[in-house]
Amino acid sequence: MTVPALRPRPVPGLGFQAIGPEEEALVLDVLRRKEPFRYYGMDPAKPPPMAAQLEKEFRAYIGSDYALGVTSGSGALEVALAAAAIGPGDEVIVNAWSWISCFTAIVRVGARPVLAEIDESLNLDPAEIGRLATPRTRAVIVVHYQGVAAAMEPILHEAHRRGIYVVEDCAQSLGTRYRGRQVGSWGDISTYSFQNNKVATSGEGGMVVTRDQRLYERAVRFHDLGNYRPYHAALVPPREPAFAGGQFRMSELTAAVALAQLRKVDKIRDHCRALAARILPRLAGLKGLALRHEADPAGSFGFEPYFFLDRAELVTPFREKLDARNVNCGQRTGTYPQYGRDYVKTGLAHAPGASPFRDFPIWPAEGYRAVDFPRTEDLTKRFIALPLGWLYTTADADYIADSVIAVHREVCG
Ligand SMILES: *Cc1c(COP(=O)(O)O)cnc(C)c1O
């Protein structure tokens, strides 16, 4: 095969690239009614509809019972942990390879994050739950990394037989399925983000989903200063005492954009899946290269195919050659695993007494250093990511596959 002629670099982006008349119409509806606040508007007897409609369609889409709009995916994680009454003295297991707030949300509620190795799926290795659980372990945060579901059946088995809550962080994987069901419908409580990089976006925003009435009521209370307003009481009658909460309420404007975007998720997923299906089979047989393992490939979103090179030292030249061919691609940055980040290296919270690490005599302690995660280190130093987007065409996908094959021959051949 010859080296393909250079193509222009495709324009990246998922949900925000699909913004159009549908988002405009719903936002204008909120503005024209002059009702930007979800709990009351012009007519005190008739609260505004947008956040309520988003929650209704969201829980139907996920296949769960209750959904609560919040201000962000990070806020959603704090609300979920607080709903489960997790706090000082508790431990929460979380992937070492995860977004910043998967760790910081645990610290913010006063609990101690316990870092776990990932496996060839770049998701949590289910066996880590047994290795890391202690009598203080209250929850595991399972991150469905970049549109590929974690192995929920073994994870639920390992967690629930030890009485550990399963929190699904679906911020990167709205619309992704595992064994025919949406991610977020498996665990005890689940979180989503509508930040700009996500599949569906309202710039900022988030969602909490659960089947559990007690977790729902407590999530509502924590997200609204301890309040439990009539809208929620009509869904689940109040049974829990009020407690001091934060303020993570979603505005009607955010809800309007998120609602229009939610209705586009399946279209965006079908587009990404079709592109990925043109790329992945062509890379499958290449020597010295392995595709990311997927627990259920039929359910993956497909917006970011990954492959591993056997030899880590070839990753940078491989990526640079792809980039020179106008292929958008990414490799691990120096500090992306949690143990490489500054807030883990210092072990600090906002005040000295609030740090769950304050009693460790030596810091960073075992379990918070790169040397403690040989598999996560190895895997994340050997991958190359191929982000796809709403504006990518099938010709772009074919060019990406051609380019990876050509660069592979040059670098690995
Ligand atoms: C984006 C993201 C979050 C945080 O969402 P924000 O809305 O940006 O606060 C949490 N977890 C994961 C896995 C994410 O990718």
Side-chain angles (χ1 to χ4, degrees), residues 337-353:
Q338 298 288 0
Y339 47 75
R341 301 242 188 214
D342 285 346
Y343 50 77
V344 178
K345 290 183 173 166
T346 64
L348 293 175
H350 66 284

Side-chain angles (χ1 to χ4, degrees), residues 11-83:
V11 182
L14 295 166
F16 75 86
Q17 292 288 16
I19 290 176
E22 301 81 5
E23 286 78 1
E24 287 175 24
L26 293 184
V27 169
L28 278 174
D29 179 55
V30 173
L31 294 175
R32 288 183 175 141
R33 281 186 288 103
K34 301 188 167 72
E35 294 186 320
F37 182 61
R38 76 167 291 184
Y39 288 120
Y40 48 78
M42 305 306 267
D43 174 359
K46 200 165 158 278
M50 216 54 89
Q53 184 66 25
L54 172 65
E55 290 168 354
K56 191 174 158 203
E57 293 191 25
F58 204 94
R59 66 186 182 246
Y61 182 78
I62 300 303
S64 195
D65 292 338
Y66 306 107
L68 176 68
V70 294
T71 42
S72 71
S74 305
L77 282 169
E78 289 184 35
V79 169
L81 294 170

Side-chain angles (χ1 to χ4, degrees), residues 278-336:
R278 299 179 81 92
I279 299 172
L280 290 171
R282 295 188 56 203
L283 311 189
L286 297 178
K287 205 165 140 269
L289 182 155
L291 298 179
R292 177 183 182 186
H293 175 73
E294 303 186 9
D296 179 11
S300 297
F301 202 104
F303 68 77
E304 189 156 279
Y306 281 71
F307 60 85
F308 301 98
L309 297 182
D310 288 353
R311 292 167 58 195
E313 69 274 18
L314 298 183
V315 168
T316 297
F318 202 115
R319 199 204 68 80
E320 282 171 357
K321 283 187 195 297
L322 278 179
D323 193 62
R325 302 199 50 73
N326 288 339
V327 172
N328 292 322
C329 53
Q331 78 189 77
R332 183 231 227 209
T333 62
T335 58
Y336 198 69

Side-chain angles (χ1 to χ4, degrees), residues 72-74 77 99 101-102 143 169 171-172 193 195 198 204-205:
S72 71
S74 305
L77 282 169
W99 176 239
S101 43
C102 305
V143 182
D169 182 346
Q172 302 175 354
S193 165
Q195 189 269 341
K198 316 299 179 175
E204 302 279 11

Side-chain angles (χ1 to χ4, degrees), residues 90-164:
D90 296 334
E91 294 175 3
V92 178
I93 296 169
V94 64
N95 311 18
W97 179 255
S98 52
W99 176 239
I100 293 173
S101 43
C102 305
F103 185 97
T104 58
I106 301 167
V107 174
R108 295 257 302 138
V109 299
R112 182 183 297 164
V114 174
L115 297 176
E117 292 259 42
I118 55 167
D119 62 20
E120 288 72 14
S121 68
L122 297 173
N123 289 325
L124 180 75
D125 175 353
E128 286 289 89
I129 296 171
R131 181 175 77 88
L132 298 169
T134 75
R136 292 176 298 280
T137 309
R138 296 283 320 285
V140 53
I141 295 178
V142 179
V143 182
H144 300 290
Y145 182 70
Q146 298 289 72
V148 174
M152 288 313 295
E153 277 173 358
I155 286 170
L156 286 167
H157 177 74
E158 291 299 319
H160 282 170
R161 70 198 184 95
R162 295 179 171 86
I164 297 172

